[in-house]
Amino acid sequence: LFGSSSQNLFDTIYSFVDIGILVFDIDRRLLFINPYGYKVTLAESEQHPGVLDIFDLDDNSEDDLFSNNKSSEDNEIRVKIRSNGRICKVKTSLAVDKHNKPYCYLMVVRDVTKEEQVLDQLQAANSAKNFFLTSMSHEIRTPINAILGMNEMILRENQDENINDYATDAKNAAETLLMLVNDVLDFSKIDSGKMEIFETPYAVRDLLDDLSNLVNSRIGTKDLEFIVDVPHDLPVELIGDNIRIQQILLNLLTNAVKFTQRGKIVLKIRFEKTD
């Protein structure tokens, strides 16, 4: 197609691309390297350095590097440049002649140093965030639980209706704050892959009673009715993580209360038996 200009075209591509192109002989000594490849590796083809002179292979062997003959990006091998410590990903292809006899290796080198640095920084920031959230969540829950405990004593022992109203408001606010803190702690657990689900037997009626009390306390003076629609043959006891079940249902019902001005909110429960 390009006639006599084809060699010039290939030379231009060879020099222009922002990716390292290295050619090794069968003894794995460097024959050619394009300008970008030299910029990354500082290897000079005139000196015909070996692979181990260019790359610090760490956990990889030289054979790993040269057995990598597929073009897939997943088949790239991560290596470090010996001269400057840059992190690169390489893949190698064996070239054969018309008689299917190997005569050289073609290696493509991508400099991923900045990508690795950004990834390390993101991982460090994420670890610091998770540590902060976990630590702060635990620290904050202690005084909240103390407030709830003292407030419960006021509600039990005090006879003044106004003070009981104030204490009830304080209890609702503290429970809401505790729920938010628990959500933050759960998000940090999910983010770090440490969220655990505990399956234990639990009483369904107790769960529903707790939900009803929490939802009705949030309804307050709104013109709303909360209805729990439960089939008569619902098992008395089920197995699951009742803390997470209650948390999920309470989040949904709290939103229902928040965005419903009048009428009714229905929690409808159905079940089916399995093996």
Side-chain angles (χ1 to χ4, degrees):
L1 175 63
F2 296 102
S4 60
S5 300
S6 62
Q7 186 60 49
N8 290 335
L9 175 63
F10 294 142
D11 289 343
T12 300
I13 294 172
Y14 183 73
S15 302
F16 178 75
V17 292
D18 284 342
I19 196 167
I21 300 175
L22 288 69
V23 180
F24 293 86
D25 63 18
I26 295 303
D27 295 324
R28 301 174 181 176
R29 305 197 71 82
L30 185 64
L31 294 176
F32 304 103
I33 187 168
N34 72 335
Y36 189 83
Y38 172 75
K39 178 182 176 182
V40 172
T41 66
L42 301 181
E44 297 182 3
S45 58
E46 294 82 2
Q47 298 177 4
H48 304 298
V51 174
L52 296 179
D53 297 320
I54 302 172
F55 301 110
D56 183 1
L57 295 181
D58 294 331
D59 297 330
N60 301 305
S61 69
E62 187 176 334
D63 289 336
D64 290 335
L65 203 62
F66 285 92
S67 63
N68 183 24
N69 293 319
K70 296 179 181 179
S71 59
S72 169
E73 187 173 302
D74 293 337
N75 210 45
E76 291 180 318
I77 293 179
R78 180 185 182 278
V79 296
K80 183 184 292 185
I81 304 300
R82 188 173 292 280
S83 61
N84 53 24
R86 287 179 177 271
I87 306 298
C88 295
K89 287 188 176 179
V90 306
K91 52 187 175 184
T92 310
S93 180
L94 178 65
V96 296
D97 60 21
K98 62 182 179 180
H99 303 294
N100 206 35
K101 182 179 179 180
Y103 67 91
C104 73
Y105 291 97
L106 177 64
M107 180 182 290
V108 176
V109 178
R110 292 193 306 120
D111 185 1
V112 294
T113 305
K114 289 184 178 179
E115 296 173 26
E116 294 271 333
Q117 289 172 344
V118 170
L119 185 60
D120 289 343
Q121 291 170 358
L122 288 174
Q123 289 174 340
N126 193 52
S127 297
K129 180 200 72 176
N130 287 337
F131 177 77
F132 171 78
L133 289 177
T134 302
S135 300
M136 288 304 296
S137 295
H138 284 298
E139 293 294 330
I140 292 172
R141 284 197 297 185
T142 300
I144 294 175
N145 285 323
I147 293 170
L148 285 169
M150 296 300 292
N151 204 68
E152 186 64 29
M153 293 177 65
I154 294 172
L155 288 170
R156 287 179 184 177
E157 299 177 8
N158 183 71
Q159 302 300 319
D160 188 304
E161 188 175 338
N162 287 331
I163 293 178
N164 280 343
D165 287 343
Y166 297 148
T168 300
D169 291 340
K171 176 186 177 183
N172 293 338
E175 286 176 343
T176 301
L177 181 57
L178 185 60
M179 184 181 68
L180 292 172
V181 170
N182 286 334
D183 284 347
V184 169
L185 183 58
D186 285 345
F187 281 129
S188 68
K189 284 182 179 178
I190 292 169
D191 207 27
S192 60
K194 295 180 179 178
M195 172 63 76
E196 295 182 78
I197 301 297
F198 298 98
E199 293 193 347
T200 57
Y202 67 92
V204 181
R205 180 172 293 279
D206 290 345
L207 174 67
L208 296 178
D209 285 344
D210 289 343
L211 276 173
S212 295
N213 291 332
L214 290 168
V215 173
N216 283 317
S217 69
R218 282 161 173 75
I219 289 176
T221 58
K222 272 189 167 185
D223 185 17
L224 282 175
E225 181 184 7
F226 177 53
I227 299 172
V228 180
D229 181 358
V230 183
H232 70 279
D233 56 344
L234 180 70
V236 174
E237 188 176 77
L238 294 176
I239 296 176
D241 193 328
N242 63 310
I243 300 297
R244 302 300 171 202
I245 294 170
Q246 180 173 328
Q247 187 178 22
I248 292 166
L249 291 174
L250 186 59
N251 283 339
L252 293 170
L253 293 168
T254 299
N255 279 337
V257 172
K258 181 178 179 181
F259 296 108
T260 308
Q261 300 306 316
R262 64 183 64 85
K264 60 186 178 181
I265 295 168
V266 180
L267 173 60
K268 187 175 182 179
I269 297 175
R270 295 294 181 265
F271 75 99
E272 60 182 47
K273 295 181 180 179
T274 66
D275 295 333

